[in-house]
């Protein structure tokens, strides 16, 4: 039987901290449940298995045959042998109709038309997508219909490994139970293709009775893997993972069965009720003698979470970088606005190479101290640097004509003119980097409130302070929103388009397909912001505004301002010496 494994796989989180190791395996023909609290790393693990995320270290591979021959799998093999279904299916849709959404997954396969049609019919029937939905937009479907459409788009590829992230999120209990029962039947079909099903979910009562093995995660690390039978006998790993003991395990323990399925529990309880009273008493005494006792001496006592002290220690001792990030984020936004304004003015008043270089170093030092990954703030900076390079090249071009009629056109390059353009535009690079860091370290509401309070203290513009603060806050919100949407589009292209090279990034030829969905997404986001502003009292004359961000100047804010002013003054002192 084939088995896919992860050995000592580590990744980096968004704040730059390295996660603990993922160390687990997934057998073909089985349904593996990946369980953990929110933020435990379930989605990350599935995206690693799908080849969407690259591990920082470790091996993702496959074991084949009786001799368990092992070999690591390249990223392209992971992408083509598995299909990942996002926990929010509506985020993966971008085409006009349900039919187009399902067929898009087959685009890279270049299959004949009759085969594509067969796959469309088969996937729709398997996942319960009614034929009358084919011509509708996926965005108009109900939650259950969207979930089934996303599953059909994945199933059309017939991948050996089906990776489902929170497949029942947002569904009513009846539909969730129906979908889970269908997955239990699918695993045999996946096993015949040499793969299996991996489900990431925190709904243990629904999936634990169907699972063949359970992988438990906590704080981005795998605690281990167990069979449902082992967890019924000893539920302490579930408690250590922060999940508690689900009802299906409690009922199985009461019924004295090793299976958490409803049928097994019902059969065991029925057998006990039908047994003679003396037999039931003897059986209960025998079970009590075999059942492990806890610290209090009670039967089947559940161990405390301290059975896994390393997990508890991780909660009690947050990382140093996380503490620094929290302190910088908690600074008063007025202090941040003041320092950013002075930093920008010092760069722009009189461009100077030394000041620009020092400003860039100061921005880089702030990003490093906050633990923000360099690529997060370098990406827009490098994009703007490309624009500056183009401006330098264009501004330095010189065309001259000979004084004699018919003389050839002469093309030259003025390094002096190009240098002037370069000197004037380059200070914008550290200013842009500082703005990105400011946005990353300050919540949008704090950005608005801080600017609004500062502008109110300036005579003459007090009335426009609220409008200016709101406009800037909305601009910063969209600056934050756009990269996330582009990343989502790139994820969609990787999951469903299956590009063999450089997945996770949009290509120029893909931008046309994603432009309209991106525009619709931004309009939808703007509509949500409009509702939120109306609810807070904007747009109604005389309405009282809600204040969710009370500002309070602390000693740490004064210290940060003083340190920032000293750094800015030191940067500007370079004008005197160079």
């Amino acid at each position: 039987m084939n088995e896919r494994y992860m050995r000592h796989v580590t990744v980096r989180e968004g704040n730059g901290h390295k996660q603990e190791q993922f160390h687990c395996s997934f057998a073909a023909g089985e349904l593996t449940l990946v369980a953990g609290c929110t933020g435990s790393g379930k989605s990350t693990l599935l995206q690693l298995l799908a080849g969407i995320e690259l591990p920082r270290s470790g091996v993702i591979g496959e074991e084949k045959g009786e001799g368990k021959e092992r070999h690591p799998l390249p990223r392209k093999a992971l992408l083509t042998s598995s299909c990942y279904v996002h926990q929010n299916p509506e985020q993966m849709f971008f085409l006009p109709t349900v039919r187009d959404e399902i067929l898009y997954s087959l685009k890279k396969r270049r299959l004949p038309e009759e085969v594509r049609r067969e796959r469309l019919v088969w996937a729709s029937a398997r996942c319960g997508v009614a034929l009358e939905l084919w011509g509708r937009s996926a965005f108009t479907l109900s939650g259950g219909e969207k979930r089934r459409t996303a599953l059909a788009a994945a199933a059309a590829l017939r991948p050996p490994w089906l990776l489902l992230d929170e497949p029942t999120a947002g569904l009513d209990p009846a539909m969730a139970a129906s979908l889970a029962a269908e997955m239990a039947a699918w695993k045999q079909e996946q096993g015949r293709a040499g793969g299996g099903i991996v489900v990431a979910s925190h709904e243990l009562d629904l999936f634990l009775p169907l699972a063949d093995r359970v992988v438990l995660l906590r704080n981005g690390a795998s605690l281990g893997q167990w069979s449902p039978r082992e967890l019924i006998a000893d539920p302490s790993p579930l408690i250590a993972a922060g999940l508690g003991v689900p009802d299906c395990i409690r009922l199985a323990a009461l019924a004295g069965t090793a299976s958490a399925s409803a049928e097994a529990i019902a059969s065991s309880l029925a057998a006990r009720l039908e047994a003679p009273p003396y037999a039931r008493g003897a059986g209960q005494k025998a079970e009590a003698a075999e059942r492990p006792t806890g610290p209090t001496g009670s039967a089947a006592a559940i161990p405390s979470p301290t059975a896994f002290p390393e997990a508890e220690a991780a909660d009690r001792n947050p990382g140093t970088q996380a503490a620094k990030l929290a302190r910088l984020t908690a600074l008063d936004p007025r202090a941040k606005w003041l320092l950013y304004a002075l930093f920008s003015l010092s760069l722009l008043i009189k461009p100077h190479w030394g000041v620009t270089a020092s400003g860039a170093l100061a921005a880089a030092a702030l990003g490093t101290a906050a633990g923000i990954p360099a690529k997060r703030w370098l990406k827009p900076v490098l994009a703007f640097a490309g624009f500056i390079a183009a401006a330098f090249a264009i501004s330095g071009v010189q065309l001259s004509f000979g004084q004699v009629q018919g003389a050839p056109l002469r093309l030259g390059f003025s390094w002096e003119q190009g240098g002037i353009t370069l000197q004037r535009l380059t200070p914008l690079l550290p200013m842009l980097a500082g703005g990105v860091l400011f946005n990353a370290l300050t919540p949008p509401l704090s950005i608005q409130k801080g600017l609004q309070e500062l502008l109110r203290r300036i005579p003459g513009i007090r009335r426009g302070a609220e409008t200016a603060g709101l406009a800037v806050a909305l601009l910063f919100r969209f600056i934050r929103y756009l990269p996330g949407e582009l990343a989502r589009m790139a994820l969609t292209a990787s999951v469903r388009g299956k590009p063999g090279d450089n997945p996770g990034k949009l290509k120029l030829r893909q931008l046309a397909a994603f432009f309209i969905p991106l525009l619709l997404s931004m309009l939808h986001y703007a509509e949500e912001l409009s509702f939120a502003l109306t609810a807070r009292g904007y747009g109604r004359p005389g309405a009282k505004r809600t204040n969710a961000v009370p500002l309070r100047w602390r000693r740490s804010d004064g210290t940060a301002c003083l340190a920032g002013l000293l750094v800015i003054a030191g940067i500007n002192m370079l004008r005197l010496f160079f």
Side-chain angles (χ1 to χ4, degrees):
M1 181 172 61
N2 295 348
E3 190 172 69
R4 188 154 290 186
Y5 62 85
M6 304 176 76
R7 298 284 185 265
H8 308 294
V9 171
T10 60
V11 294
R12 276 196 179 273
E13 294 177 330
N15 60 5
H17 297 294
K18 191 168 70 172
Q19 287 186 330
E20 296 296 330
Q21 295 175 344
F22 289 123
H23 193 85
C24 46
S25 59
F26 309 87
E30 292 186 354
L31 191 153
T32 303
L33 173 62
V34 179
C37 297
T38 301
S40 61
K42 299 188 296 293
S43 297
T44 301
L45 187 146
L46 259 61
Q47 291 179 17
L48 285 165
L49 279 176
I52 300 167
E53 286 278 343
L54 280 177
R56 183 171 179 83
S57 62
V59 177
I60 303 175
E62 197 168 44
E63 296 175 347
K64 286 189 174 182
E66 295 296 329
K68 293 294 183 184
E69 177 188 354
R70 296 183 179 183
H71 61 89
L73 290 172
R75 189 176 196 181
K76 188 172 182 180
L78 291 171
L79 280 166
T80 55
S81 65
S82 59
C83 199
Y84 170 74
V85 180
H86 199 271
Q87 59 182 320
N88 299 313
E90 64 276 3
Q91 294 189 3
M92 307 301 285
F93 298 143
F94 62 96
L95 292 170
T97 66
V98 169
R99 183 181 186 276
D100 294 333
E101 294 287 356
I102 298 174
L103 289 176
Y104 179 80
S105 302
L106 304 173
K107 187 176 180 180
K108 285 280 183 178
R109 300 295 175 91
R110 296 185 175 88
L111 298 172
E113 181 63 29
E114 60 273 13
V115 176
R116 295 172 71 241
R117 171 77 182 185
E118 178 189 342
R119 292 278 189 96
L120 172 65
V121 174
W122 173 82
S124 298
R126 182 190 187 189
C127 300
V129 179
L131 299 184
E132 54 265 24
L133 298 180
W134 283 6
R136 289 177 57 182
S137 169
F139 297 101
T140 65
L141 303 179
S142 67
E145 290 169 341
K146 287 178 180 177
R147 180 69 62 183
R148 290 185 177 277
T149 300
L151 287 170
L157 286 166
R158 295 192 175 178
W161 291 91
L162 195 57
L163 313 176
L164 310 177
D165 194 354
E166 298 289 355
T168 56
L171 301 184
D172 59 74
M175 184 167 288
S178 172
L179 193 59
E182 291 171 8
M183 290 177 202
W186 294 350
K187 69 178 181 180
Q188 297 178 358
E189 191 173 333
Q190 298 297 129
R192 287 193 292 270
I197 299 178
V198 183
V199 177
S201 178
H202 60 272
E203 296 190 24
L204 296 183
D205 283 317
L206 189 61
F207 288 105
L208 189 63
L210 307 175
D212 298 288
R213 65 176 74 188
V214 182
V215 174
L216 294 178
L217 305 181
R218 181 185 174 96
N219 296 333
S222 55
L223 297 178
Q225 58 190 58
W226 293 262
S227 67
R229 181 186 295 267
E230 291 171 331
L231 291 176
I232 291 173
D234 179 15
S236 61
L238 292 168
I239 300 173
L243 296 170
V245 183
D247 291 338
C248 62
I249 286 185
R250 294 182 186 275
L251 289 172
L254 288 173
T257 177
S259 174
S261 67
E263 294 81 2
I265 293 172
S267 299
S268 179
L269 290 175
R272 287 191 173 204
L273 291 172
E274 292 172 1
Y278 65 87
R280 289 204 303 270
Q284 289 170 358
K285 289 180 182 178
E287 288 175 9
E290 294 177 0
R291 203 173 293 160
T293 57
T296 60
S298 60
I302 296 171
S304 69
T306 54
F308 290 83
E310 65 277 4
E312 296 297 316
D315 282 349
R316 290 194 300 268
N317 301 314
T320 306
Q321 288 286 12
K324 289 181 181 178
L325 180 63
R327 285 196 295 269
L328 289 171
T329 304
L331 288 175
D332 193 292
R334 292 171 292 184
K336 297 179 188 178
W337 267 117
L338 181 63
L339 290 174
Y340 181 61
L342 292 175
F343 177 71
S344 301
L345 285 174
S346 67
L347 292 170
L348 298 177
I349 286 177
K350 188 178 180 181
H352 187 279
W353 291 112
V355 173
T356 300
S358 300
L361 289 174
L366 176 62
T368 303
I372 299 174
K375 65 179 181 180
R376 183 172 175 181
W377 55 272
L378 271 180
K379 204 169 185 179
V381 171
L382 291 177
F384 192 70
F387 167 77
I388 293 177
F392 167 75
I394 294 172
S395 64
V397 172
Q398 289 187 332
L399 298 175
S400 60
F401 299 89
Q403 296 184 2
V404 181
Q405 189 175 4
L409 178 68
R410 294 182 180 179
L411 180 65
F413 188 84
S414 172
W415 291 97
E416 183 179 356
Q417 290 297 325
I420 293 173
T421 301
L422 201 63
Q423 188 175 21
R424 289 177 177 174
L425 292 180
T426 303
L428 296 175
L429 291 175
M431 180 180 168
L432 177 61
V436 173
L437 293 173
F438 178 28
N439 191 23
L441 293 171
T442 314
L445 284 177
S446 297
I447 290 176
Q448 174 191 351
K449 189 70 174 179
L451 180 61
Q452 188 175 309
E453 291 299 318
L454 286 177
L455 292 178
R456 279 178 177 170
R457 299 180 181 277
I458 302 176
I461 61 172
R462 190 168 298 172
R463 289 186 177 181
E466 185 179 61
T467 304
L470 179 61
V472 171
L474 291 177
L475 177 62
F476 272 88
R477 277 185 179 271
F478 274 98
I479 290 174
R480 285 188 176 192
Y481 177 74
L482 190 57
E485 282 301 288
L486 291 174
R488 179 175 69 81
M489 299 297 179
L491 175 63
T492 302
S494 297
V495 170
R496 302 186 55 200
K498 299 294 182 185
D501 51 340
N502 203 15
K505 292 187 178 180
L506 281 176
K507 299 179 181 179
L508 289 176
R509 65 175 180 268
Q510 295 172 322
L511 292 179
F514 287 100
F515 176 74
I516 296 299
L518 179 62
L519 183 61
L520 289 173
S521 176
M522 294 186 70
L523 290 174
H524 179 66
Y525 184 64
E527 185 181 21
E528 289 181 342
L529 281 178
S530 175
F531 285 137
L533 291 173
T534 303
R536 292 187 60 207
Y538 290 92
R540 300 196 305 271
K544 186 178 180 180
R545 308 282 191 264
T546 59
N547 184 15
V549 186
L551 300 182
R552 209 176 88 190
W553 191 275
R554 301 179 180 85
R555 181 179 297 178
S556 58
D557 300 309
T559 304
C561 269
L562 180 60
L565 289 173
L566 289 175
V567 171
I568 293 171
I571 290 174
N572 282 272
M573 288 292 289
L574 294 172
R575 301 179 195 273
L576 303 177
F577 301 102
F578 299 98

